[in-house]
């Protein structure tokens, strides 16, 4: 069996957990006898291809596309607003300007047929345009290689249009993998309707929808109206090569409690800060660290200052690679207070480093981790109690550390992708 897989990133160049998950999936599938052709917008050439064959979309000339370009553009619904547009115009004139801009972009879109498009592979201002062009390339690849694969697999909304185009061009079944939804990325329900439309279209066109947790499965069914019979949960996993050993020197004798992730509303940083303030009032010799960056960072710094805990609270900025492992090695407790987390790999990484972990009940990881402490993200009293208990009772911390380490090492991609293989077999 061979799978044509569409992703957006692949290690070593990643911006988040999606690329790491894709690497685990292709390696697990290889273990289970499934070959993959992994398409990505912009490959660097140094990706590990021991378990997959990387296809660089930037090297593919678009030669087979939908001839009805206007309808394609309507489905994608993107438009760059030029700086030459005048903000104060009457509605009729504004409509005229917008229509001219749409026709201009449509013309530019046509010109590039038969040519290669150099994708950035980033999450920048032209993301919607890259998503649309990626779909055109996806159709081209699928039609030219139709005899080389049995099923199509598309990861997250960025690749859903490419998956749909590949299905229509090849006639092969489509599986879409939901790693996160628009509702996970919005704390107040104010979602991006363009992204939601693409997500829903991908799920409707797919023969099967794979979600990373039952939490996400319920969102797909209830918020997107997808038939429950075609939505399957395959929990994420992490493959570790032995116990992580990192040598670090502590500059302080205090215990360290760590939050590591994007500092955005989805991750619940303000609840971590409130819990920290409660713990600091109850005990001495503890410091709190917020490792990461994001749109709420300045707000969180001000929040810490208002609570008067700045001398016990530290911001590291964005960490990656070895820096992340050093941070875990310095930590006595790890906490992931996410408001909405489809799965959440970071507590598994912490537990791998023998760090007792506290996670929100609103995370997919809570469905598979027995030895992580679980609290509602909004319950800062319970959060503070758990932190205090792990800091004050060494036997409890040691138990959570040892059992947690054994637990996460049983969550293997080989087992998860065996389930994924059965999903493929059900649609072929």
């Amino acid at each position: 069996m061979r799978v044509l897989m569409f992703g957006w990133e692949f290690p070593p160049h990643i911006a988040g957990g999606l690329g790491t998950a894709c690497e685990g999936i292709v390696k697990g599938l290889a273990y289970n006898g499934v070959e993959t052709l992994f398409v990505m917008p912009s490959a660097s050439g140094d990706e590990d291809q021991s378990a997959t064959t990387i296809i660089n979309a930037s090297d593919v000339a678009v030669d087979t596309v939908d001839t009805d370009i206007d309808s394609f553009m309507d489905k994608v619904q993107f438009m760059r607003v030029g700086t030459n547009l005048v903000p104060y115009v009457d509605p009729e004139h504004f409509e005229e300007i917008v229509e001219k801009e749409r026709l201009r972009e449509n013309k530019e879109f046509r010109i590039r047929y038969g040519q290669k498009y150099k994708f950035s592979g980033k999450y920048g201002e032209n993301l919607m345009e890259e998503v649309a062009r990626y779909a055109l390339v996806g159709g081209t690849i699928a039609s030219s290689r139709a005899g080389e694969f049995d099923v199509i697999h598309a990861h997250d909304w960025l690749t859903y249009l490419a998956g749909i185009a590949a299905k229509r061009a090849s006639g092969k079944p489509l599986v879409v993998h939901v790693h996160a939804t628009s509702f996970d990325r919005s704390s107040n329900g104010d979602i991006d309707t363009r992204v939601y439309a693409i997500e829903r279209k991908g799920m409707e066109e797919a023969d099967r929808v794979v979600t990373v947790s039952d939490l996400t499965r319920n969102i797909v069914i209830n918020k997107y109206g997808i038939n429950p019979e075609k939505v399957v949960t395959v929990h994420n996993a992490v493959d570790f090569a032995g116990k992580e050993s990192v040598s670090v020197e502590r500059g302080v004798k205090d215990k360290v409690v760590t939050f590591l992730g994007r500092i955005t509303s989805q991750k619940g940083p303000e609840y971590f800060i409130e819990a920290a303030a409660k713990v600091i009032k109850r005990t001495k010799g503890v410091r709190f660290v917020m490792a990461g960056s994001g749109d709420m960072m300045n707000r969180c710094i001000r929040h810490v200052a208002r609570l008067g805990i700045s001398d016990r609270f530290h911001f590291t900025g964005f960490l990656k690679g070895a820096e992340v492992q050093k941070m875990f090695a310095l930590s006595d407790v790890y906490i992931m207070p996410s408001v909405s987390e489809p799965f959440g790999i970071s507590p598994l990484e912490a537990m791998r480093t023998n760090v007792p972990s506290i996670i929100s009940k609103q995370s997919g990881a809570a469905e598979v981790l027995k030895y992580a402490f679980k609290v509602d993200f909004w319950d800062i009293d319970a959060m503070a109690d758990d932190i205090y208990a792990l800091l004050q009772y060494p036997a409890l911390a040691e138990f959570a550390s040892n059992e947690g380490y054994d637990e996460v090492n049983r969550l293997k991609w080989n087992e998860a992708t065996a389930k994924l293989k059965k999903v493929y077999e059900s649609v072929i």
Side-chain angles (χ1 to χ4, degrees):
M1 184 190 301
R2 180 177 283 180
V3 181
L4 178 63
M5 190 172 289
F6 291 95
W8 200 257
E9 58 183 37
F10 198 86
H13 307 286
I14 57 174
L18 179 58
T20 303
C22 287
E23 181 182 42
I25 287 170
V26 298
K27 288 184 176 180
L29 287 172
Y31 175 86
N32 284 289
V34 179
E35 297 179 40
T36 53
L37 299 169
F38 192 90
V39 186
M40 58 188 299
S42 180
S44 300
D46 57 351
E47 293 81 8
D48 180 6
Q49 298 194 47
S50 61
T52 188
T53 299
I54 300 286
I55 299 175
N56 186 0
S58 295
D59 290 338
V60 178
V62 176
D63 54 15
T64 305
V65 294
D66 189 341
T67 55
D68 187 2
I69 305 306
D70 285 314
S71 66
F72 182 83
M73 295 288 276
D74 287 340
K75 290 174 191 172
V76 178
Q77 295 181 347
F78 72 85
M79 186 190 79
R80 290 193 309 271
V81 180
T83 55
N84 59 331
L85 292 186
V86 181
Y88 300 106
V89 294
D90 60 78
E92 292 76 15
H93 189 204
F94 181 77
E95 275 191 28
E96 179 184 339
I97 293 173
V98 168
E99 180 62 15
K100 284 182 179 178
E101 176 71 4
R102 189 189 70 80
L103 291 173
R104 182 191 66 75
E105 290 200 346
N106 203 345
K107 182 180 179 182
E108 288 184 4
F109 213 73
R110 291 171 185 267
I111 290 172
R112 292 193 175 94
Y113 285 0
Q115 299 179 21
K116 297 176 183 178
Y117 179 75
K118 292 299 177 184
F119 293 89
S120 71
K122 306 294 183 184
Y123 302 91
E125 294 179 359
N126 293 333
L127 184 59
M128 282 295 180
E129 180 173 350
E130 294 216 338
V131 167
R133 293 188 186 280
Y134 194 43
L136 298 180
V137 175
T140 298
I141 293 170
S143 62
S144 63
R145 293 177 174 249
E148 299 180 34
F149 61 92
D150 307 290
V151 64
I152 303 157
H153 187 155
H155 292 281
D156 254 4
W157 73 271
L158 297 157
T159 73
Y160 288 173
L161 292 180
I164 293 171
K167 177 180 179 177
R168 292 179 179 177
S170 65
K172 300 297 175 65
L174 170 64
V175 174
V176 300
H177 206 137
V178 185
H179 296 266
T181 70
S182 290
F183 297 93
D184 297 305
R185 292 181 284 267
S186 171
S187 61
N188 57 6
D190 186 18
I191 63 172
D192 188 322
T193 55
R194 299 170 304 166
V195 175
Y196 173 84
I198 293 173
E199 289 173 328
R200 186 170 183 176
K201 183 70 174 175
M203 295 174 195
E204 289 174 343
E205 294 269 350
D207 297 273
R208 286 289 186 281
V209 178
V210 174
T211 58
V212 296
S213 63
D214 290 332
L215 181 77
T216 305
R217 182 176 185 270
N218 290 334
I219 293 174
V220 166
I221 294 168
N222 296 321
K223 299 287 190 181
Y224 294 82
I226 305 303
N227 183 350
E229 293 183 3
K230 77 172 190 178
V231 187
V232 181
T233 295
V234 177
H235 288 104
N236 274 346
V238 180
D239 286 336
F240 298 133
K243 183 170 285 193
E244 187 69 17
S245 178
V246 179
S247 178
V248 294
E249 282 189 29
R250 285 200 178 209
V252 294
K253 294 180 180 180
D254 298 334
K255 297 288 183 71
V256 176
V257 181
T258 300
F259 167 108
L260 191 148
R262 294 194 313 279
I263 305 179
T264 63
S265 59
Q266 178 196 348
K267 301 295 183 179
E270 66 270 43
Y271 300 104
F272 174 69
I273 294 170
E274 290 287 345
K278 288 181 175 292
V279 173
I280 289 170
K281 286 181 180 178
R282 292 171 66 180
T283 184
K284 296 181 179 179
V286 58
R287 293 173 184 264
F288 290 80
V289 175
M290 185 167 283
S293 60
D295 62 326
M296 285 184 64
M297 187 165 184
N298 290 336
R299 177 175 160 185
C300 285
I301 292 172
R302 290 193 297 269
H303 193 176
V304 167
R306 280 196 302 270
L307 291 172
I309 58 173
S310 299
D311 59 327
R312 314 301 297 171
F313 206 105
H314 308 272
F315 293 86
T316 69
F318 179 73
L319 302 181
K320 62 181 180 179
E323 295 173 330
V324 172
Q325 295 307 318
K326 286 182 179 179
M327 191 65 250
F328 283 139
L330 286 167
S331 303
D332 296 282
V333 177
Y334 174 76
I335 183 163
M336 184 183 75
S338 298
V339 175
S340 177
E341 189 73 53
F343 189 77
I345 293 292
S346 58
L348 279 70
E349 294 176 328
M351 292 164 75
R352 171 208 183 187
T353 323
N354 286 112
V355 182
S357 297
I358 303 168
I359 61 178
S360 75
K361 293 178 181 178
Q362 291 72 32
S363 67
E367 298 170 14
V368 297
L369 292 178
K370 180 180 178 181
Y371 292 102
F373 286 64
K374 305 177 188 72
V375 296
D376 289 303
F377 71 87
W378 45 263
D379 195 344
I380 55 175
D381 289 317
M383 203 179 295
D385 287 343
D386 284 351
I387 294 170
Y388 181 83
L390 286 168
L391 293 176
Q392 295 298 313
Y393 302 107
L396 179 63
E398 184 179 3
F399 175 81
S401 173
N402 293 337
E403 295 296 330
Y405 173 79
D406 291 338
E407 182 173 49
V408 296
N409 277 279
R410 291 192 291 269
L411 298 174
K412 301 292 187 183
W413 276 117
N414 292 348
E415 281 74 26
T417 50
K419 298 176 184 177
L420 201 52
K421 182 179 180 180
K422 291 181 179 178
V423 172
Y424 295 154
E425 292 170 344
S426 71
V427 299
I428 293 176

